[in-house]
Structures are given as structure tokens and as C-alpha cells.
Amino acid sequence: MTTTTPYPPDPQAPHNELPGRIMAREMAEQPAVLRRILTRGAPAIRRVAQEIAARAPRFVLLTARGTSDNAALYAKYLLEIRLGLPCGLTSMSTTTAYGARPDLTDVLVITVSQSGGSPDLVASTQAAREAGAITLAVTNNPDSPLAGVSEYHLGIMAGPERALPATKTYTASLLVLYLFVEGLRGGDGAAAEVLPGLAERLLARQDEVRTLAARYRFAERMVITSRGYGYPTAKEAALKLMETSYIPALAYSGADLLHGPLAMVDNVSPVIAVVTDGKGGEALRPVLDRLRGRGADLVVIGPRRQVEQASAGFVLPTEDVPEEIQPILEILPLQLLAHEVTIARGQDPDAPRALAKVTETR
């Protein structure tokens, strides 16, 4: 069962606020949020990581929904690649609807939620703790029910998010999860210090994104693909496009795209490829070749050498940026694209129809 909590209007917001202004402001806050996490949040993240590492969890289960589910998928890649820990994404209904009670002794259960208020997240986390799991909540609300039932909590420190599409809470979750995984492996996460400055530069390139948005204003569907660390970005970009502009956006791993869905690709519907600069991007190359061979309207978000071979694109500053933190940058132009496409189609990305800021599933 899914219910929604009404999204209350901000009494201090001007009545003549332009469509998309709230989302735009929150996207612009992201460099400051990343800095806040690195300067104020990192010590607490490191302490929690050290405590959990000392308990030597045997594997990890990740629990989330919506945008947070894409952040959890990113954490799955980090944990498996950086630590060699087997990970799984949970199906909460096995606990909340079917009453399953697996033995979770010495299992780390990480629940990611912006609000920390959805009843199924709270119930499944409580059940996991009762089943012996080490429970960690990653939320934007330290006073949330989810934080209350979890043994450990990490705040993403994004501040209030009023626009319905999550932007700053997504990138904040990615950075917190990255620092946490680095803490588990005894690292300091210093590679992330470049992110706030690079994020500022990317968000300042809105005119480039607006040009892309005009190109795809009348798109009837989009396909978004990537591999490796970029795959969660593809899924999050598809979600943002669907919830703001209502364009059906299908996200596929590049490997899965070749197993059937490639047949629907033509020279009309845009294909957005998120190309990380690293092993994930290398694995995506055969997919890009097949897309070009089919005459696809291919847009590349990634390194210059890949953008130059596409129909259009957005160059990311990936030089000397480790592949595992590039997703925090990759999503930024795609957030802007969702915003600009929605505005170009005469809609308001701040308040998509039929959605609420807190979605309560049971």
C-alpha cells in the first residue's frame, strides 16, 4: 500500500515564484552541501565506519526506494569493488508483507532515505535489527523514525529540500556513502575534496544544457545507458526526467541494452550515454559503437574524446578524478537537463503532478 503525505506550501515563498525556481536553487546549493559534508560531517562518518569495520560484517544489504534506491545502488558498487564485500538490494515486502525473518547475524543493513519517514523502511530496518543485523540509517533527518530504530545514523546534511525532485539530497547521499566506504577500508576520502569546486563549474554551464533541452523538448521517449559506477547515474537521470517532464525514460545497463532493448533504438528517440572515465566507460565502448551503427541520436555525458564522437553531449572534467566519485559530478548536468526540458515543455519541475515530497509505502 502506498500513501502520500501532502506537500505543504512554504508560507514565506512569494506567490509569483517562477516555475522551477525552487529546484534551481536547490541544485545550486550542491557545492556548498558537498563542502559541508567534507568539513563538518567527515569526522563523524569516519568514526561510525571504524566502529562498524571492527565488527567485521560478513555481507551487506541495502534498503531504499526511489532516488535513495539509486544512491544505494551506487553504494553496492563501492562496497563490492572497493571492499570485496558481497551486497544485495533488499525486497522490503518479504519482511513487511510476508513476514519473513531471515538470520541477519553479523550482516550490515544500510537503509538510505531522505526523510527517514516511510513506514516500510522503518519496519524492515527494525525487523533487521531484531534479526541480528548491524543497522545503519543514512538520512537527511537525524530525528526521523528510521534514525530512531537504527543502531547507527549518518546525516547527509543537505538542509531542507522543498522541490519535489530530489537533487541535493541525492549527491549528498552519494558523498556520505563514499566517505563511509572509504572509512570502512581505512581511507580518508581525500580524493573527494575536488568535488565542490568541480560541481560549481559544472552547474555554471547551464546554457550548454539549455541547448540540449531545446533539442529534446519534443522527445516522446529517451533511453539512458551506462555501465559500472555510471549505471546508478543513468537510473537517477531517468527518474528525474520522468518525474519532472513526464517523458518515458528507460534506463539500462549497457550490457542489458544489447540483450533485446537495442531493437527499439532508432534515429528519433534520443539515447543518453553516461560514460565514466575508467573501466565502466571502457566496458561501454562496444555499446556506443552499436548505437552509432544504428544511427542513434546519441548524447554522451563524459570525457571529451567520447563526446566528440556523439551527436551531442556534455564534457565532464574527469581528468584526475577517480572513477568511483565521478557519479557525484555526472548527475549534475542531467539534473539541469531534466529541469530545462520540463521548463521548455511548459511544465513546473518544482511540483510534478500526482507526487508528494514524502512517499509513505507499507
Side-chain angles (χ1 to χ4, degrees):
M1 174 180 153
T2 300
T3 60
T4 54
T5 298
Y7 181 62
D10 184 348
Q12 297 182 353
H15 294 293
N16 61 347
E17 191 149 41
L18 295 175
R21 183 66 61 85
I22 302 172
M23 183 179 176
R25 278 201 302 261
E26 291 175 352
M27 287 189 293
E29 290 175 23
Q30 290 176 102
V33 172
L34 297 176
R35 285 194 183 93
R36 186 182 309 137
I37 294 167
L38 290 167
T39 56
R40 291 169 45 194
I45 296 169
R46 193 174 302 116
R47 284 194 300 272
V48 169
Q50 290 170 345
E51 287 189 31
I52 292 177
R55 297 173 66 173
R58 54 193 174 101
F59 63 88
V60 182
L61 291 175
L62 294 142
T63 304
R65 292 205 187 277
T67 285
S68 294
D69 199 36
N70 299 327
L73 180 59
Y74 168 72
K76 183 177 188 293
Y77 277 91
L78 283 173
L79 287 157
E80 291 187 344
I81 296 170
R82 306 285 285 173
L83 291 178
L85 270 177
C87 298
L89 300 176
T90 61
S91 299
M92 279 173 279
S93 62
T94 62
T95 298
T96 60
Y98 291 92
R101 291 296 183 266
D103 180 4
L104 298 179
T105 306
D106 298 327
V107 174
L108 173 59
V109 173
I110 303 174
T111 307
V112 186
S113 171
Q114 298 158 46
S115 69
S118 188
D120 59 347
L121 292 168
V122 175
S124 63
T125 301
Q126 179 68 52
R129 189 170 182 179
E130 293 171 356
I134 306 163
T135 52
L136 169 66
V138 179
T139 81
N140 197 36
N141 182 3
D143 299 318
S144 63
L146 178 60
V149 301
S150 299
E151 186 175 359
Y152 297 97
H153 175 261
L154 292 177
I156 64 172
M157 306 177 71
E161 189 172 58
R162 292 177 51 237
L164 289 183
T167 54
K168 63 179 181 175
T169 53
Y170 178 70
T171 49
S173 296
L174 296 193
L175 180 54
V176 167
L177 289 164
Y178 168 75
L179 293 174
F180 171 69
V181 173
E182 285 301 288
L184 288 178
R185 63 193 295 268
D188 60 6
E193 292 176 3
V194 301
L195 292 174
L198 292 175
E200 283 180 342
R201 286 166 50 189
L202 288 174
L203 291 168
R205 293 164 58 189
Q206 191 166 358
D207 287 346
E208 293 180 50
V209 177
R210 194 169 288 124
T211 299
L212 282 178
R215 180 186 180 108
Y216 301 122
R217 175 182 178 183
F218 299 108
E220 295 185 359
R221 75 164 182 252
M222 291 187 181
V223 174
I224 308 176
T225 188
S226 189
R227 291 203 69 180
Y229 284 113
Y231 181 44
T233 307
K235 289 174 66 68
E236 174 62 12
L239 177 60
K240 284 292 157 287
L241 284 161
M242 287 189 288
E243 70 181 352
T244 56
S245 69
Y246 319 140
I247 297 174
L250 308 173
Y252 293 101
S253 157
D256 288 333
L257 185 62
L258 297 183
H259 284 265
L262 184 68
M264 71 177 174
V265 173
D266 53 31
N267 61 357
V268 177
S269 300
V271 178
I272 300 175
V274 180
V275 183
T276 56
D277 196 356
K279 293 181 179 179
E282 292 170 8
L284 194 63
R285 283 184 186 179
V287 181
L288 299 179
D289 291 340
R290 291 285 297 276
L291 290 168
R292 293 187 193 99
R294 290 188 61 82
D297 183 1
L298 179 62
V299 180
V300 167
I301 309 296
R304 182 175 300 279
R305 62 184 179 277
Q306 292 293 342
V307 172
E308 289 173 346
Q309 299 178 50
S311 305
F314 187 98
V315 176
L316 291 174
T318 56
E319 299 82 3
D320 302 320
V321 178
E323 183 179 4
E324 60 267 18
I325 59 173
Q326 290 177 32
I328 299 171
L329 302 176
E330 290 166 349
I331 192 60
L332 300 179
L334 292 164
Q335 291 174 347
L336 291 172
L337 181 65
H339 179 273
E340 293 299 327
V341 166
T342 305
I343 295 295
R345 290 164 70 94
Q347 293 150 198
D348 184 359
D350 287 338
R353 64 193 182 205
L355 295 181
K357 188 59 183 173
V358 180
T359 301
E360 298 181 352
T361 46
R362 299 180 185 272

